[in-house]
Amino acid sequence: MDLVDETLREWRSGALVYGQSDCMLSIGRYLARAGHKDVTGLFVGRYDTREGALAMMAEHGGVPGLVAMTGAVPKCGAPARGDVLEVLYQDEDGVTGIGGICTGDAVALRLERGTIEVALRFVRYAGVWHVGD
């Protein structure tokens, strides 16, 4: 079992709570466990709704800005297992980005309804950051 498996097990064992265990904080904790700077303390408890999370992300440059705060390095090319991706999706507010973890041929996302994995061929992503050695 590697860090990806351990992280997904944790995500699946608990609920998403905005400001405590939401997608932004979950990716931040994953990056910290992988050896990057832990910036989650700057955000825990500062919001408690989806709107608050989106505002906090916007204030810090979205997924790219938040990942950059940890020191993770952007990567060109296809994502590999363990890399973090900014997955794009359409909602009522337009196109939004969410952080996910590449599981190999899929990306895992922590959502309100639970943790899901979607085949990479079905997602649009805007950025990839190398995680690991």
Side-chain angles (χ1 to χ4, degrees):
M1 184 175 295
D2 65 2
L3 181 57
V4 173
D5 291 328
E6 291 171 10
T7 299
L8 296 183
R9 185 180 66 210
E10 288 174 14
W11 289 7
R12 291 181 177 120
S13 69
L16 181 146
V17 177
Y18 286 107
Q20 301 299 320
S21 60
D22 56 69
C23 54
M24 177 174 73
L25 292 169
S26 296
I27 292 295
R29 287 186 181 109
Y30 169 75
L31 286 164
R33 288 180 65 196
H36 297 281
K37 182 178 178 184
D38 186 354
V39 298
T40 57
L42 301 171
F43 305 102
V44 172
R46 294 195 48 209
Y47 55 90
D48 59 6
T49 63
R50 176 183 183 274
E51 293 74 22
L54 291 173
M56 188 65 64
M57 287 181 65
E59 182 180 324
H60 291 87
V63 173
L66 291 164
V67 174
M69 290 174 68
T70 72
V73 178
K75 173 181 176 179
C76 293
R81 183 173 176 82
D83 290 345
V84 167
L85 286 78
E86 178 185 18
V87 175
L88 302 176
Y89 68 95
Q90 181 77 39
D91 67 6
E92 62 276 0
D93 299 323
V95 176
T96 305
I98 183 174
I101 300 172
C102 181
T103 62
D105 61 353
V107 60
L109 303 164
R110 190 167 199 188
L111 308 175
E112 287 178 351
R113 67 179 187 261
T115 299
I116 64 166
E117 288 186 62
V118 180
L120 285 171
R121 70 179 185 270
F122 296 125
V123 299
R124 205 172 56 154
Y125 54 91
V128 179
W129 292 265
H130 179 70
V131 178
D133 27 39

